[in-house]
PDB file of all heavy atoms in Angstrom:
ATOM      1  N   VAL G  50      25.411   4.531   2.364  1.00  0.00           N
ATOM      2  CA  VAL G  50      24.193   3.753   2.104  1.00  0.00           C
ATOM      3  C   VAL G  50      24.254   3.264   0.662  1.00  0.00           C
ATOM      4  O   VAL G  50      24.490   4.054  -0.261  1.00  0.00           O
ATOM      5  CB  VAL G  50      22.930   4.596   2.345  1.00  0.00           C
ATOM      6  CG1 VAL G  50      21.673   3.803   1.983  1.00  0.00           C
ATOM      7  CG2 VAL G  50      22.865   5.050   3.805  1.00  0.00           C
ATOM      8  N   TYR G  51      24.024   1.974   0.487  1.00  0.00           N
ATOM      9  CA  TYR G  51      24.177   1.347  -0.824  1.00  0.00           C
ATOM     10  C   TYR G  51      22.866   0.738  -1.294  1.00  0.00           C
ATOM     11  O   TYR G  51      22.109   0.170  -0.499  1.00  0.00           O
ATOM     12  CB  TYR G  51      25.237   0.250  -0.764  1.00  0.00           C
ATOM     13  CG  TYR G  51      26.642   0.763  -0.579  1.00  0.00           C
ATOM     14  CD1 TYR G  51      27.116   1.104   0.685  1.00  0.00           C
ATOM     15  CD2 TYR G  51      27.497   0.900  -1.670  1.00  0.00           C
ATOM     16  CE1 TYR G  51      28.408   1.573   0.860  1.00  0.00           C
ATOM     17  CE2 TYR G  51      28.798   1.372  -1.509  1.00  0.00           C
ATOM     18  CZ  TYR G  51      29.240   1.704  -0.234  1.00  0.00           C
ATOM     19  OH  TYR G  51      30.531   2.171  -0.070  1.00  0.00           O
ATOM     20  N   ASP G  71      35.217  21.495  28.658  1.00  0.00           N
ATOM     21  CA  ASP G  71      35.009  21.887  27.271  1.00  0.00           C
ATOM     22  C   ASP G  71      33.700  22.649  27.102  1.00  0.00           C
ATOM     23  O   ASP G  71      33.619  23.602  26.335  1.00  0.00           O
ATOM     24  CB  ASP G  71      34.990  20.652  26.361  1.00  0.00           C
ATOM     25  CG  ASP G  71      36.364  20.012  26.236  1.00  0.00           C
ATOM     26  OD1 ASP G  71      37.340  20.765  26.103  1.00  0.00           O
ATOM     27  OD2 ASP G  71      36.447  18.782  26.277  1.00  0.00           O
ATOM     28  N   LYS G  86      25.722  23.385  34.989  1.00  0.00           N
ATOM     29  CA  LYS G  86      26.652  22.299  35.276  1.00  0.00           C
ATOM     30  C   LYS G  86      25.918  21.095  35.876  1.00  0.00           C
ATOM     31  O   LYS G  86      26.236  19.940  35.576  1.00  0.00           O
ATOM     32  CB  LYS G  86      27.747  22.782  36.235  1.00  0.00           C
ATOM     33  CG  LYS G  86      28.842  23.596  35.548  1.00  0.00           C
ATOM     34  CD  LYS G  86      30.017  23.806  36.486  1.00  0.00           C
ATOM     35  CE  LYS G  86      31.169  24.487  35.759  1.00  0.00           C
ATOM     36  NZ  LYS G  86      32.349  24.648  36.627  1.00  0.00           N
ATOM     37  N   GLY G 101      26.005  15.093  11.489  1.00  0.00           N
ATOM     38  CA  GLY G 101      26.341  16.437  11.044  1.00  0.00           C
ATOM     39  C   GLY G 101      27.695  16.836  11.598  1.00  0.00           C
ATOM     40  O   GLY G 101      28.390  16.043  12.247  1.00  0.00           O
ATOM     41  N   ASP G 114      20.821  10.366  -2.988  1.00  0.00           N
ATOM     42  CA  ASP G 114      20.362  10.533  -4.369  1.00  0.00           C
ATOM     43  C   ASP G 114      18.906  10.094  -4.436  1.00  0.00           C
ATOM     44  O   ASP G 114      18.605   8.901  -4.387  1.00  0.00           O
ATOM     45  CB  ASP G 114      21.226   9.684  -5.303  1.00  0.00           C
ATOM     46  CG  ASP G 114      20.877   9.902  -6.777  1.00  0.00           C
ATOM     47  OD1 ASP G 114      19.791  10.438  -7.061  1.00  0.00           O
ATOM     48  OD2 ASP G 114      21.691   9.505  -7.635  1.00  0.00           O
ATOM     49  N   ALA G 115      18.001  11.074  -4.513  1.00  0.00           N
ATOM     50  CA  ALA G 115      16.564  10.782  -4.472  1.00  0.00           C
ATOM     51  C   ALA G 115      16.089   9.946  -5.649  1.00  0.00           C
ATOM     52  O   ALA G 115      15.020   9.335  -5.588  1.00  0.00           O
ATOM     53  CB  ALA G 115      15.780  12.090  -4.397  1.00  0.00           C
ATOM     54  N   SER G 116      16.859   9.903  -6.719  1.00  0.00           N
ATOM     55  CA  SER G 116      16.481   9.071  -7.864  1.00  0.00           C
ATOM     56  C   SER G 116      16.845   7.607  -7.638  1.00  0.00           C
ATOM     57  O   SER G 116      16.389   6.724  -8.377  1.00  0.00           O
ATOM     58  CB  SER G 116      17.155   9.579  -9.141  1.00  0.00           C
ATOM     59  OG  SER G 116      18.561   9.368  -9.094  1.00  0.00           O
ATOM     60  N   ASP G 122      13.695   5.184   3.161  1.00  0.00           N
ATOM     61  CA  ASP G 122      14.675   4.094   3.210  1.00  0.00           C
ATOM     62  C   ASP G 122      16.051   4.599   3.641  1.00  0.00           C
ATOM     63  O   ASP G 122      16.774   3.906   4.363  1.00  0.00           O
ATOM     64  CB  ASP G 122      14.770   3.419   1.830  1.00  0.00           C
ATOM     65  CG  ASP G 122      13.533   2.599   1.489  1.00  0.00           C
ATOM     66  OD1 ASP G 122      12.762   2.287   2.415  1.00  0.00           O
ATOM     67  OD2 ASP G 122      13.331   2.298   0.297  1.00  0.00           O
ATOM     68  N   SER G 135      26.619   2.587  17.887  1.00  0.00           N
ATOM     69  CA  SER G 135      26.466   2.623  19.351  1.00  0.00           C
ATOM     70  C   SER G 135      26.963   1.333  19.973  1.00  0.00           C
ATOM     71  O   SER G 135      27.661   1.349  21.003  1.00  0.00           O
ATOM     72  CB  SER G 135      24.993   2.855  19.716  1.00  0.00           C
ATOM     73  OG  SER G 135      24.520   4.084  19.216  1.00  0.00           O
ATOM     74  N   ASP G 158      13.508  22.504   4.804  1.00  0.00           N
ATOM     75  CA  ASP G 158      14.186  21.256   4.471  1.00  0.00           C
ATOM     76  C   ASP G 158      13.155  20.117   4.423  1.00  0.00           C
ATOM     77  O   ASP G 158      12.349  19.959   5.352  1.00  0.00           O
ATOM     78  CB  ASP G 158      15.258  20.943   5.528  1.00  0.00           C
ATOM     79  CG  ASP G 158      16.228  19.881   5.072  1.00  0.00           C
ATOM     80  OD1 ASP G 158      15.784  18.743   4.815  1.00  0.00           O
ATOM     81  OD2 ASP G 158      17.441  20.165   4.975  1.00  0.00           O
ATOM     82  N   PRO G 159      13.174  19.302   3.373  1.00  0.00           N
ATOM     83  CA  PRO G 159      12.181  18.223   3.258  1.00  0.00           C
ATOM     84  C   PRO G 159      12.286  17.175   4.351  1.00  0.00           C
ATOM     85  O   PRO G 159      11.353  16.381   4.527  1.00  0.00           O
ATOM     86  CB  PRO G 159      12.469  17.609   1.875  1.00  0.00           C
ATOM     87  CG  PRO G 159      13.837  18.067   1.507  1.00  0.00           C
ATOM     88  CD  PRO G 159      14.022  19.396   2.165  1.00  0.00           C
ATOM     89  N   ASN G 163       9.204  13.993   7.472  1.00  0.00           N
ATOM     90  CA  ASN G 163       9.291  12.617   7.977  1.00  0.00           C
ATOM     91  C   ASN G 163       8.916  12.535   9.458  1.00  0.00           C
ATOM     92  O   ASN G 163       9.644  11.952  10.267  1.00  0.00           O
ATOM     93  CB  ASN G 163      10.710  12.076   7.755  1.00  0.00           C
ATOM     94  CG  ASN G 163      11.063  11.950   6.296  1.00  0.00           C
ATOM     95  OD1 ASN G 163      10.764  10.948   5.662  1.00  0.00           O
ATOM     96  ND2 ASN G 163      11.702  12.984   5.749  1.00  0.00           N
ATOM     97  N   MET G 181      22.533  33.076   9.888  1.00  0.00           N
ATOM     98  CA  MET G 181      22.499  34.410   9.281  1.00  0.00           C
ATOM     99  C   MET G 181      23.085  34.346   7.872  1.00  0.00           C
ATOM    100  O   MET G 181      24.284  34.093   7.706  1.00  0.00           O
ATOM    101  CB  MET G 181      23.262  35.403  10.153  1.00  0.00           C
ATOM    102  CG  MET G 181      22.705  35.556  11.552  1.00  0.00           C
ATOM    103  SD  MET G 181      21.002  36.177  11.607  1.00  0.00           S
ATOM    104  CE  MET G 181      21.217  37.854  10.990  1.00  0.00           C
ATOM    105  N   TYR G 238      42.169  32.767  18.523  1.00  0.00           N
ATOM    106  CA  TYR G 238      40.918  31.991  18.478  1.00  0.00           C
ATOM    107  C   TYR G 238      40.367  31.759  19.879  1.00  0.00           C
ATOM    108  O   TYR G 238      39.168  31.920  20.136  1.00  0.00           O
ATOM    109  CB  TYR G 238      41.169  30.660  17.755  1.00  0.00           C
ATOM    110  CG  TYR G 238      40.272  29.529  18.215  1.00  0.00           C
ATOM    111  CD1 TYR G 238      38.931  29.473  17.839  1.00  0.00           C
ATOM    112  CD2 TYR G 238      40.766  28.524  19.065  1.00  0.00           C
ATOM    113  CE1 TYR G 238      38.112  28.445  18.282  1.00  0.00           C
ATOM    114  CE2 TYR G 238      39.951  27.499  19.504  1.00  0.00           C
ATOM    115  CZ  TYR G 238      38.625  27.459  19.113  1.00  0.00           C
ATOM    116  OH  TYR G 238      37.797  26.451  19.549  1.00  0.00           O
ATOM    117  N   PHE G 268      40.221  27.328   1.177  1.00  0.00           N
ATOM    118  CA  PHE G 268      40.206  27.808   2.556  1.00  0.00           C
ATOM    119  C   PHE G 268      41.030  29.085   2.634  1.00  0.00           C
ATOM    120  O   PHE G 268      42.216  29.097   2.317  1.00  0.00           O
ATOM    121  CB  PHE G 268      40.785  26.752   3.496  1.00  0.00           C
ATOM    122  CG  PHE G 268      40.854  27.195   4.935  1.00  0.00           C
ATOM    123  CD1 PHE G 268      39.709  27.514   5.637  1.00  0.00           C
ATOM    124  CD2 PHE G 268      42.075  27.287   5.592  1.00  0.00           C
ATOM    125  CE1 PHE G 268      39.769  27.922   6.960  1.00  0.00           C
ATOM    126  CE2 PHE G 268      42.154  27.693   6.916  1.00  0.00           C
ATOM    127  CZ  PHE G 268      40.992  28.009   7.603  1.00  0.00           C
ATOM    128  N   THR G 284      38.543  33.579   8.934  1.00  0.00           N
ATOM    129  CA  THR G 284      38.666  32.511   7.950  1.00  0.00           C
ATOM    130  C   THR G 284      37.319  32.269   7.288  1.00  0.00           C
ATOM    131  O   THR G 284      36.266  32.554   7.862  1.00  0.00           O
ATOM    132  CB  THR G 284      39.142  31.197   8.598  1.00  0.00           C
ATOM    133  OG1 THR G 284      38.150  30.741   9.517  1.00  0.00           O
ATOM    134  CG2 THR G 284      40.455  31.375   9.329  1.00  0.00           C
ATOM    135  N   ASN G 288      32.525  27.288  -0.653  1.00  0.00           N
ATOM    136  CA  ASN G 288      31.681  26.094  -0.758  1.00  0.00           C
ATOM    137  C   ASN G 288      30.810  26.203  -2.003  1.00  0.00           C
ATOM    138  O   ASN G 288      29.646  26.588  -1.938  1.00  0.00           O
ATOM    139  CB  ASN G 288      30.823  25.937   0.496  1.00  0.00           C
ATOM    140  CG  ASN G 288      30.180  24.561   0.592  1.00  0.00           C
ATOM    141  OD1 ASN G 288      30.462  23.666  -0.203  1.00  0.00           O
ATOM    142  ND2 ASN G 288      29.310  24.393   1.570  1.00  0.00           N
ATOM    143  N   TYR G 320      34.213  40.396  -0.064  1.00  0.00           N
ATOM    144  CA  TYR G 320      34.875  39.338  -0.829  1.00  0.00           C
ATOM    145  C   TYR G 320      33.844  38.542  -1.627  1.00  0.00           C
ATOM    146  O   TYR G 320      34.060  38.239  -2.806  1.00  0.00           O
ATOM    147  CB  TYR G 320      35.651  38.405   0.104  1.00  0.00           C
ATOM    148  CG  TYR G 320      36.449  37.354  -0.651  1.00  0.00           C
ATOM    149  CD1 TYR G 320      37.797  37.548  -0.922  1.00  0.00           C
ATOM    150  CD2 TYR G 320      35.855  36.169  -1.104  1.00  0.00           C
ATOM    151  CE1 TYR G 320      38.531  36.606  -1.628  1.00  0.00           C
ATOM    152  CE2 TYR G 320      36.577  35.227  -1.814  1.00  0.00           C
ATOM    153  CZ  TYR G 320      37.911  35.446  -2.071  1.00  0.00           C
ATOM    154  OH  TYR G 320      38.621  34.504  -2.783  1.00  0.00           O
ATOM    155  N   ILE G 351      16.845  21.327  15.124  1.00  0.00           N
ATOM    156  CA  ILE G 351      17.586  20.082  15.285  1.00  0.00           C
ATOM    157  C   ILE G 351      16.610  19.009  15.765  1.00  0.00           C
ATOM    158  O   ILE G 351      15.498  19.311  16.220  1.00  0.00           O
ATOM    159  CB  ILE G 351      18.738  20.226  16.305  1.00  0.00           C
ATOM    160  CG1 ILE G 351      18.181  20.581  17.697  1.00  0.00           C
ATOM    161  CG2 ILE G 351      19.739  21.267  15.850  1.00  0.00           C
ATOM    162  CD1 ILE G 351      19.230  20.598  18.799  1.00  0.00           C
ATOM    163  N   LYS G 370      17.693  24.558  25.476  1.00  0.00           N
ATOM    164  CA  LYS G 370      17.353  25.977  25.571  1.00  0.00           C
ATOM    165  C   LYS G 370      18.446  26.750  26.299  1.00  0.00           C
ATOM    166  O   LYS G 370      18.741  27.898  25.954  1.00  0.00           O
ATOM    167  CB  LYS G 370      16.017  26.151  26.293  1.00  0.00           C
ATOM    168  CG  LYS G 370      14.821  25.710  25.463  1.00  0.00           C
ATOM    169  CD  LYS G 370      13.520  25.941  26.205  1.00  0.00           C
ATOM    170  CE  LYS G 370      12.330  25.514  25.345  1.00  0.00           C
ATOM    171  NZ  LYS G 370      11.047  25.713  26.053  1.00  0.00           N
ATOM    172  N   TRP G 378      16.212  39.678  19.869  1.00  0.00           N
ATOM    173  CA  TRP G 378      17.170  40.626  19.318  1.00  0.00           C
ATOM    174  C   TRP G 378      16.450  41.467  18.275  1.00  0.00           C
ATOM    175  O   TRP G 378      15.412  41.091  17.747  1.00  0.00           O
ATOM    176  CB  TRP G 378      18.370  39.909  18.713  1.00  0.00           C
ATOM    177  CG  TRP G 378      18.047  38.960  17.597  1.00  0.00           C
ATOM    178  CD1 TRP G 378      17.486  37.726  17.702  1.00  0.00           C
ATOM    179  CD2 TRP G 378      18.223  39.199  16.196  1.00  0.00           C
ATOM    180  NE1 TRP G 378      17.311  37.169  16.475  1.00  0.00           N
ATOM    181  CE2 TRP G 378      17.760  38.040  15.523  1.00  0.00           C
ATOM    182  CE3 TRP G 378      18.740  40.262  15.453  1.00  0.00           C
ATOM    183  CZ2 TRP G 378      17.786  37.928  14.137  1.00  0.00           C
ATOM    184  CZ3 TRP G 378      18.763  40.143  14.078  1.00  0.00           C
ATOM    185  CH2 TRP G 378      18.303  38.989  13.434  1.00  0.00           C
TER     186      TRP G 378
END
Side-chain angles (χ1 to χ4, degrees):
V50 176
Y51 290 82
D71 290 318
K86 281 191 174 183
D114 185 343
S116 68
D122 289 343
S135 299
D158 195 298
N163 295 274
M181 300 298 293
Y238 151 75
F268 178 62
T284 64
N288 194 7
Y320 185 97
I351 62 174
K370 288 182 179 179
W378 60 285

